[in-house]
Amino acid sequence: MKIITKKQVLLNALTPYKVSAKKIGFVPTMGALHKGHVSLVSQALTTNDCVVVSIFVNPTQFDNALDLKKYPKTLDKDVALLSTLEGIIIIYHPQASELYNGKIRSKSYNFGPIANEMEGKFRTGHFNGVGTVVNLLLRDIKPDTAYFGQKDFQQLQIVKKLVAIENLPVQIVGCPIVREENGLAMSSRNKRLSKKQVDEAALIHQTLLLVKNDFPQSSIPKLNSKVEEIFKKSKVLTLEYFEIADEASLKTAKRKQKETKYRAFIAAFIGPVRLIDNMALN
Ligand code: AMP
């Protein structure tokens, strides 16, 4: 498996695939890889001749300096994990100045209303940072298909919008959420949790399941209150937001409408660690 840090070396490595019209898949990550990332790479390997996995902790998408500083970095383990997979994988692990051509700053995008909800509301500049880095990577790698997890459902919608805005010739595929045995959505940030906190953080998934279960017979305001109560009772988790939103527009839903697909979203803190999760409701 190749580990490449320079853009030109990456482009050279991809040239043989491009000239012979072979399929290139791309999985952008920030490293500290887990089974969620592996599921994306495995899916990419089934339909591509070569899969590029970027490992890059993107500074421009963090609004919290401590979160960026504490972001887990486990490159050797990441390489070992990807080595267990069958198929051609290229790891792209550039420095920020290399990826950003020296100017490490976000472009300002107009993603429309979807960028103002939830993560957009609570993490200032986050989606501009995501859009900027994904645009740079897609323009350099020029994959046929790029794979993103539904774990970051809003990000997946933003990336689809980005591809339309930037007119990029790539197909975006959304992949299902992979969970720990207790239901906690896998996340690199889980590495910052103690065993006890991992157990406690299962409340996020349990709450989503409860909301899904009650959704057919309960009103949205009732569900909102119920979730607030659950988190108020928790001694370890602090709710940042709970939203039931229209899956397509991501607009907060106040009451149920026919023919609309809804999804519930949670962001919560356990100590300084921020976790997000979501679930389709109907
Ligand atoms: P990250 O390294 O956290 O930026 O994530 C890289 C990609 O992996 C994103 O598209 C995420 O949505 C996806 N991802 C992260 N965690 C999971 C998970 N538990 N299940 C599925 N996809 C995930």
Side-chain angles (χ1 to χ4, degrees):
M1 185 161 45
K2 284 197 179 89
I3 304 166
I4 294 176
T5 57
K6 297 288 176 202
K7 195 179 299 174
Q8 193 52 53
V9 178
L10 176 67
L11 300 187
N12 293 346
L14 293 177
T15 302
Y17 295 94
K18 304 249 188 238
V19 295
S20 53
K22 295 244 168 89
K23 297 276 179 233
I24 296 173
F26 174 44
V27 180
T29 82
M30 298 207 295
L33 302 183
H34 49 69
K35 286 183 194 153
H37 297 113
V38 168
S39 74
L40 268 58
V41 180
S42 300
Q43 184 164 344
L45 284 166
T46 59
T47 48
N48 293 280
D49 300 291
C50 163
V51 174
V52 178
V53 179
S54 62
I55 296 181
F56 176 68
V57 182
N58 175 36
T60 64
Q61 72 187 65
F62 284 79
D63 64 337
N64 177 329
L66 189 67
D67 189 27
L68 173 60
K69 191 169 159 224
K70 294 264 182 183
Y71 201 86
K73 292 180 191 71
T74 59
L75 184 64
D76 292 346
K77 280 191 188 158
D78 294 350
V79 174
L81 184 57
L82 293 176
S83 306
T84 62
L85 303 178
E86 290 275 327
I88 298 172
I89 296 174
I90 296 176
I91 298 177
Y92 184 40
H93 181 54
Q95 292 289 318
S97 55
E98 176 81 8
L99 204 163
Y100 276 86
N101 306 311
K103 285 182 244 109
I104 306 169
R105 73 174 86 101
S106 290
K107 228 170 132 168
S108 183
Y109 281 102
N110 181 1
F111 293 120
I114 51 164
N116 302 329
E117 308 290 337
M118 300 182 288
E119 294 301 283
K121 205 185 290 172
F122 285 92
R123 299 184 72 189
T124 314
H126 175 63
F127 287 131
N128 278 332
V130 169
T132 304
V133 77
V134 172
N135 178 45
L136 288 166
L137 286 162
L138 290 175
R139 283 183 186 279
D140 288 341
I141 296 163
K142 297 187 177 58
D144 297 279
T145 312
Y147 300 80
F148 291 81
Q150 291 182 347
K151 153 90 171 23
D152 301 279
F153 192 85
Q154 193 176 7
Q155 169 178 282
L156 172 62
Q157 309 299 89
I158 290 280
V159 168
K160 287 180 179 165
K161 198 81 205 261
L162 171 80
V163 164
I165 291 171
E166 294 279 0
N167 201 12
L168 298 168
V170 61
Q171 191 200 347
I172 302 298
V173 172
C175 305
I177 302 174
V178 178
R179 300 180 178 282
E180 303 286 352
E181 253 173 49
N182 71 0
L184 174 65
M186 291 202 177
S187 164
S188 303
R189 288 185 175 88
N190 294 355
K191 295 196 166 74
R192 295 178 60 198
L193 303 178
S194 66
K195 170 80 188 70
K196 191 160 172 271
Q197 285 175 318
V198 168
D199 292 344
E200 289 161 342
L203 182 71
I204 298 171
H205 179 243
Q206 286 158 6
T207 305
L208 289 171
L209 283 177
L210 185 140
V211 169
K212 187 183 173 98
N213 185 57
D214 288 3
F215 188 73
Q217 63 274 4
S218 194
S219 73
I220 290 177
K222 266 199 188 138
L223 289 168
N224 290 341
S225 313
K226 197 163 187 174
V227 171
E228 272 172 31
E229 282 306 311
I230 289 173
F231 276 85
K232 261 189 212 147
K233 278 191 203 133
S234 165
K235 293 194 176 65
V236 285
L237 282 142
T238 310
L239 186 65
E240 184 170 59
Y241 64 74
F242 169 74
E243 298 248 343
I244 294 176
D246 175 327
E247 190 172 280
S249 68
L250 296 186
K251 269 187 83 163
T252 307
K254 298 209 168 65
R255 73 178 79 85
K256 290 181 231 171
Q257 312 268 7
K258 275 191 193 138
E259 313 291 325
T260 305
K261 282 177 112 186
Y262 293 100
R263 201 169 261 267
F265 296 83
I266 288 184
F269 281 94
I270 181 156
V273 182
R274 185 175 183 276
L275 302 172
I276 60 170
D277 200 352
N278 68 84
M279 188 176 282
L281 298 179
N282 59 340

